[in-house]
Amino acid sequence: MPNLSQETMESLEKRMEKQKEQIEKDLSKFASKDPDSEGDWDSKYPKLDANENVDLEREADEVEEYTTRVSVEHSLEKHLEDINLALEKIKKKKYGICENCGKDIPLKRLKIYPEARYCIACNQKGPV
Ligand SMILES: [Zn+2]
């Protein structure tokens, strides 16, 4: 575990808690929390008109909008997942260690991106 002071740790933790709240708020605008799995969200699918005079253009728009929403949702969800993982690691006193090589993640990086899972070198190599 990197040599982080209690104070630094707490401030990073607070920042992540805040960010988590914000993301959940954003997500709740267009997705509903999946009650069966923690941290999973489902985009609300637009209610398509069931009657015969469906406005096809409007329907296409809504489907397109939905597709955009799903990709936004996924990136928010991914971010939320990283934050949850990082918060979990704080509890387990494993915070700040690269998941790939096991080295300490520099504080400089944690301050910019507290939910970082990898050190800079591993992150540049891309997902392992
Ligand atoms: Zn690493």
Side-chain angles (χ1 to χ4, degrees):
M1 181 132 172
N3 197 15
L4 299 176
S5 71
Q6 188 71 18
E7 219 186 324
T8 310
M9 198 82 121
E10 274 170 19
S11 88
L12 292 174
E13 190 175 5
K14 254 186 221 139
R15 264 176 57 196
M16 285 192 285
E17 295 277 8
K18 258 208 177 133
Q19 213 168 11
K20 185 179 161 177
E21 255 173 52
Q22 186 56 49
I23 294 174
E24 289 191 331
K25 221 197 257 166
D26 286 347
L27 270 170
S28 66
K29 282 182 206 152
F30 55 82
S32 45
K33 210 167 189 168
D34 188 337
D36 299 324
S37 85
E38 171 72 22
D40 201 14
W41 294 70
D42 292 318
S43 274
K44 292 170 186 160
Y45 197 79
K47 261 212 158 78
L48 298 177
D49 227 329
N51 73 47
E52 283 175 39
N53 303 317
V54 191
D55 183 341
L56 283 179
E57 209 168 307
R58 211 197 72 199
E59 196 177 298
D61 278 355
E62 283 184 358
V63 171
E64 199 183 300
E65 205 182 286
Y66 175 76
T67 315
T68 317
R69 218 154 37 189
V70 169
S71 75
V72 174
E73 186 214 310
H74 283 168
S75 74
L76 285 173
E77 211 176 75
K78 176 84 192 40
H79 197 176
L80 191 62
E81 196 185 293
D82 284 352
I83 293 175
N84 282 332
L85 272 172
L87 290 170
E88 195 62 30
K89 281 191 260 184
I90 290 181
K91 277 191 213 132
K92 291 185 184 152
K93 309 229 175 293
K94 282 187 174 150
Y95 179 71
I97 299 168
C98 172
E99 285 180 24
N100 185 51
C101 67
K103 286 186 192 146
D104 290 356
I105 301 171
L107 181 57
K108 235 162 89 189
R109 174 163 164 76
L110 292 173
K111 278 190 171 160
I112 300 165
Y113 194 61
E115 61 274 36
R117 296 171 63 179
Y118 306 107
C119 68
I120 298 163
C122 291
N123 199 55
Q124 276 167 351
K125 277 185 241 158
V128 218

